Amino acid sequence: MNKVIEVKNLYKLYKVGDSVVRALNGVDFEINEGEFCAIVGTSGSGKSTLLNMLAGLEKPTRGEVIINNEHMEHLNEDGLVRFRRENIGFIFQSFNLIGTMNALENVALPLSFRGEAKSSRLKKANRMLDLVSLKKHKKHLPNQMSGGQQQRVGVARALVVDPKIIFADEPTGNLDSHTSEEVMELMQKVVREQKKTLVMVTHDNHLATYADRIFHIIDGKIVKIEDNHEKREEKEHETI
Ligand SMILES: Nc1ncnc2c1ncn2[C@@H]1O[C@H](COP(=O)(O)OP(=O)(O)OP(=O)(O)O)[C@@H](O)[C@H]1O
């Protein structure tokens, strides 16, 4: 199996006044291509810090983050922007859609940053919205869609650039429990069909059970990595 993410001896320390907060306190793991991994922990355990390090949004105090054979800690700002644009899709808790753009335009937007021609942008965005079952909502503005539909747009936008890796930060944090399940099933399905690697952070143990592996984080340390394949397959059989 191909490793796509490798984290070695990762530390992130923040100075607050006279004290030091160890947001990440020695983290090591590997994630293979095509895996869906959930990082689960309570508030303040270090989930967002870890995701920010993986995405190269913040520099580690110590340690290595290797994504697609590229050392994130060695890239400068321009290099990181380029790397993220070419390799990573993001799904956010607050959807982060542009309010004045309809679903189709929102999904097409990341492609314009890559300089793609309009016809090709619209074709790809259309295809992605079909994939997330939003055929009838392409012309809708975000405020004309439900939370679940908006997050489907968010998923389509993350996928449109065909990234190898997708990072999702509490992707269902603003949704009710039924809609959350639907969005999780959608993410699980597209990740599998499109052979993407998905890393999701959440405080919700139940949502984590959609993942292949569950990483439990406490006080900046991964205390357990749970193989969830069997449980997940049982769950899938129950729902058939
Ligand atoms: N910029 C910062 N400056 C100082 N301390 C920080 C900073 N960012 C995070 N921390 C601290 O690092 C620890 C981990 O924070 P982090 O945001 O990663 O937790 P989290 O698990 O994502 O929490 P939540 O679920 O509430 O978002 C916390 O103690 C937090 O207070």
Side-chain angles (χ1 to χ4, degrees):
M1 264 188 281
N2 277 344
K3 272 185 283 191
V4 278
I5 299 175
E6 222 177 322
V7 171
K8 291 185 188 170
N9 205 24
L10 194 66
Y11 287 81
K12 181 67 178 179
L13 275 51
Y14 291 109
K15 252 189 129 173
V16 183
D18 288 339
S19 58
V20 171
V21 178
R22 290 175 170 265
L24 293 180
N25 199 14
V27 171
D28 293 270
F29 59 79
E30 290 174 359
I31 294 178
N32 294 316
E33 197 170 356
E35 269 196 303
F36 174 5
C37 292
I39 297 165
V40 195
T42 54
S43 177
S45 56
K47 306 182 294 293
S48 304
T49 306
L50 178 55
L51 203 62
N52 287 345
M53 302 286 127
L54 292 179
L57 296 168
E58 275 187 89
K59 289 267 177 225
T61 306
R62 174 146 56 102
E64 296 166 63
V65 176
I66 306 153
I67 299 192
N68 245 352
N69 298 318
E70 186 97 54
H71 272 264
M72 303 304 277
E73 70 280 3
H74 294 167
L75 292 175
N76 63 19
E77 269 315 308
D78 287 348
L80 283 167
V81 169
R82 191 170 25 82
F83 185 84
R84 280 195 291 270
R85 197 185 292 155
E86 286 167 9
N87 296 282
I88 296 170
F90 289 94
I91 301 171
F92 305 93
Q93 174 173 356
S94 50
F95 319 138
N96 285 14
L97 303 177
I98 310 274
T100 52
M101 289 184 172
N102 66 30
L104 192 66
E105 291 163 341
N106 264 292
V107 175
L109 189 63
L111 296 170
S112 57
F113 298 137
R114 291 182 155 198
E116 282 205 33
K118 192 170 179 189
S119 59
S120 149
R121 294 202 301 262
L122 293 178
K123 197 168 144 201
K124 287 185 183 173
N126 260 305
R127 202 183 320 135
M128 285 303 138
L129 283 166
D130 291 345
L131 186 78
V132 299
S133 308
L134 282 179
K135 269 195 171 73
K136 292 185 184 148
H137 296 80
K138 290 175 184 169
K139 293 288 159 68
H140 287 226
L141 294 172
N143 67 7
Q144 296 167 326
M145 288 184 279
S146 69
Q149 288 165 343
Q150 289 182 60
Q151 193 57 301
R152 282 170 185 269
V153 177
V155 172
R157 182 189 51 188
L159 287 166
V160 78
V161 294
D162 199 22
K164 238 187 156 142
I165 301 164
I166 297 168
F167 291 133
D169 194 354
E170 298 278 5
T172 64
N174 278 332
L175 303 174
D176 63 60
S177 59
H178 175 69
T179 314
S180 293
E181 304 271 340
E182 283 181 356
V183 169
M184 290 306 304
E185 275 164 22
L186 169 75
M187 292 205 314
Q188 198 182 46
K189 174 177 153 267
V190 292
V191 160
R192 215 179 277 172
E193 286 176 5
Q194 312 265 312
K195 299 191 173 33
K196 303 295 182 197
T197 304
L198 172 64
V199 181
M200 171 182 82
V201 306
T202 181
H203 67 276
D204 188 323
N205 280 302
H206 170 64
L207 293 179
T209 61
Y210 282 89
D212 302 317
R213 285 195 296 155
I214 306 172
F215 296 28
H216 296 269
I217 183 167
I218 299 177
D219 292 339
K221 269 185 182 296
I222 303 286
V223 293
K224 186 166 100 176
I225 298 182
E226 200 181 332
D227 188 335
N228 193 47
H229 281 91
E230 275 183 29
K231 275 198 217 155
R232 215 199 47 206
E233 275 162 22
E234 273 172 30
K235 186 172 150 186
E236 278 169 27
H237 282 115
E238 278 166 22
T239 53
I240 290 172

